[in-house]
Amino acid sequence: MKYLLLLCVLALLSFFVLGVGRYPLEYRQILEVLFSPWATTLDERLRYIILEVRLPRIILAIFVGASLGICGASFQSIFRNPLASPDILGVASGAGFGAALAILLGLNIYFLTLFAFAFGILTLILVLLIVRDSNNRIMIILGGIIISALFQSFISLLKYIADPQDALPAMTYWLLGSLNVSDFHQLIFCCLGMLFGGIIIFVYRWKHNLLMLDDNEAKSLGLNIRSLRIGLIFASTLMVSCVVSICGIIGWVGLIIPHIARMIGGSNMSSVMSLSLVLGAIFMLVIDTLSRSLSSEEIPISILGAVIGALFFIVILYRFKGVMKL
């Protein structure tokens, strides 16, 4: 019942935010455009705002929020760590470096996504090489922090050598994060990548309960721990790379959404994964609407996400003070 309720909330919120923005619209006009988009009596400006500006942003916000939410829940299960998030292995920083490099070289969106995915995978490989045969999850997380810092310095290096009149402003604005879509091919391409990775994780959502067990217990139940972890990490890497390539680095969503999902649905990872999908989409819709509505200039979503995420993180630390174990 709660899933159906949240889906209804998501649908109603999606329709509501179509009318919110610096250019307010009547919902009667929105319905006319949605149900008869090619009618000759429609105002072209109205059609453009709804179908080419706001609707693509809403679709992208749903995909991005759902992707980061389910990736965060998956990582927290894989590493049995409540502080794990999609960028815990440095994947977001590696993908960000690849995309920034593509911007510096003037490549199109397909190469940008390819570079983001390639460097995201490279980051993952580097982390695994650092920890090598260690099964200690803390060591893997520390390796991810090290590699993330390394690629963040590489991003700073690219910004330093970039053309200050052309590449640097584009790179800086993109790294701050935005859901503004200027190319429908880019939207479709990246959303398909998120969908593919999300299906893989969602299909194996019930097996995340087994990943929460001790490795020996999981193996005794016939689960191939190594293959499952690698497959889920690669699927998450694909999703994060697609997110980074189209809207920059967005933090905190993959950390806070699974916690909210546990508060609502309990500790069953099958429920947590399902709830994280919908809650992540709702959260990102709210953040994007605020980013384009609070001021005359669009506020980067990474800033709003960090502010809300940090406040929520403080609440978690206070509530679980002395109880949460890493």
Side-chain angles (χ1 to χ4, degrees):
M1 182 66 183
K2 52 179 170 284
Y3 305 117
L4 182 60
L5 179 62
L6 285 173
L7 286 173
C8 291
V9 170
L10 177 60
L12 290 174
L13 181 62
S14 300
F15 178 70
F16 172 74
V17 299
L18 272 173
V20 178
R22 291 190 295 272
Y23 188 90
L25 301 174
E26 295 181 9
Y27 291 98
R28 175 185 56 80
Q29 296 174 316
I30 295 173
L31 288 173
E32 289 178 1
V33 172
L34 292 178
F35 287 101
S36 55
W38 309 119
T40 57
T41 56
L42 289 178
D43 183 1
E44 285 299 322
R45 182 173 57 178
L46 184 67
R47 194 203 316 265
Y48 174 80
I49 291 173
I50 295 175
L51 297 182
E52 298 189 34
V53 177
R54 293 186 184 175
L55 188 59
R57 287 189 70 137
I58 290 171
I59 293 172
L60 182 58
I62 291 172
F63 270 87
V64 168
S67 297
L68 294 176
I70 197 172
C71 284
S74 182
F75 271 117
Q76 290 176 14
S77 175
I78 291 170
F79 297 107
R80 297 199 282 270
N81 190 319
L83 300 182
S85 62
D87 54 354
I88 194 62
L89 297 181
V91 171
S93 296
F97 171 76
L101 180 61
I103 292 174
L104 183 66
L105 297 175
L107 302 178
N108 61 32
I109 178 57
Y110 303 107
F111 281 104
L112 193 149
T113 305
L114 179 62
F115 271 47
F117 179 70
F119 278 94
I121 294 294
L122 175 62
T123 305
L124 184 63
I125 292 172
L126 289 175
V127 172
L128 295 178
L129 286 176
I130 288 175
V131 300
R132 272 200 270 271
D133 296 326
S134 175
N135 290 320
N136 190 323
R137 295 181 301 277
I138 301 299
M139 286 296 295
I140 297 175
I141 291 173
L142 290 175
I145 293 172
I146 293 169
I147 295 300
S148 178
L150 180 65
F151 275 95
Q152 284 290 350
S153 66
F154 288 162
I155 291 174
S156 297
L157 178 62
L158 290 181
K159 292 168 70 176
Y160 177 74
I161 64 176
D163 181 359
Q165 302 299 323
D166 183 21
L168 180 58
M171 196 182 300
T172 302
Y173 179 77
W174 171 82
L175 285 170
L176 286 173
S178 173
L179 297 181
N180 187 25
V181 183
S182 59
D183 188 340
F184 281 97
H185 296 292
Q186 175 187 15
L187 174 67
I188 295 171
F189 183 71
C190 291
C191 286
L192 284 176
M194 295 180 220
L195 181 63
F196 179 72
I199 289 174
I200 294 175
I201 295 177
F202 191 76
V203 165
Y204 291 102
R205 66 191 184 281
W206 62 274
K207 287 192 176 182
H208 285 75
N209 288 313
L210 301 179
L211 289 175
M212 299 291 287
L213 301 174
D214 182 78
D215 287 358
N216 292 326
E217 288 185 66
K219 288 177 182 177
S220 68
L221 295 173
L223 185 67
N224 189 331
I225 290 286
R226 185 178 180 84
S227 298
L228 180 60
R229 277 183 178 151
I230 291 175
L232 292 174
I233 288 173
F234 271 77
S236 298
T237 301
L238 173 62
M239 297 176 74
V240 172
S241 299
C242 289
V243 170
V244 169
S245 66
I246 193 170
C247 57
I249 299 175
I250 303 175
W252 294 99
V253 180
L255 175 62
I256 66 176
I257 291 302
H259 284 287
I260 298 174
R262 288 189 189 91
M263 293 176 185
I264 296 175
S267 58
N268 185 336
M269 287 308 299
S270 181
S271 298
V272 170
M273 305 291 277
S274 302
L275 288 170
S276 294
L277 275 171
V278 185
L279 289 172
I282 292 173
F283 179 83
M284 189 55 62
L285 264 181
V286 172
I287 292 294
D288 181 54
T289 303
L290 292 175
S291 75
R292 60 183 175 84
S293 305
L294 287 179
S295 68
S296 57
E297 295 293 331
E298 182 177 331
I299 302 173
I301 53 176
S302 61
I303 296 176
L304 286 175
V307 170
I308 296 175
L311 292 175
F312 184 83
F313 194 62
I314 291 171
V315 173
I316 291 176
L317 288 178
Y318 181 80
R319 181 173 179 178
F320 296 101
K321 179 171 54 179
V323 177
M324 185 180 292
K325 296 182 180 180
L326 301 181

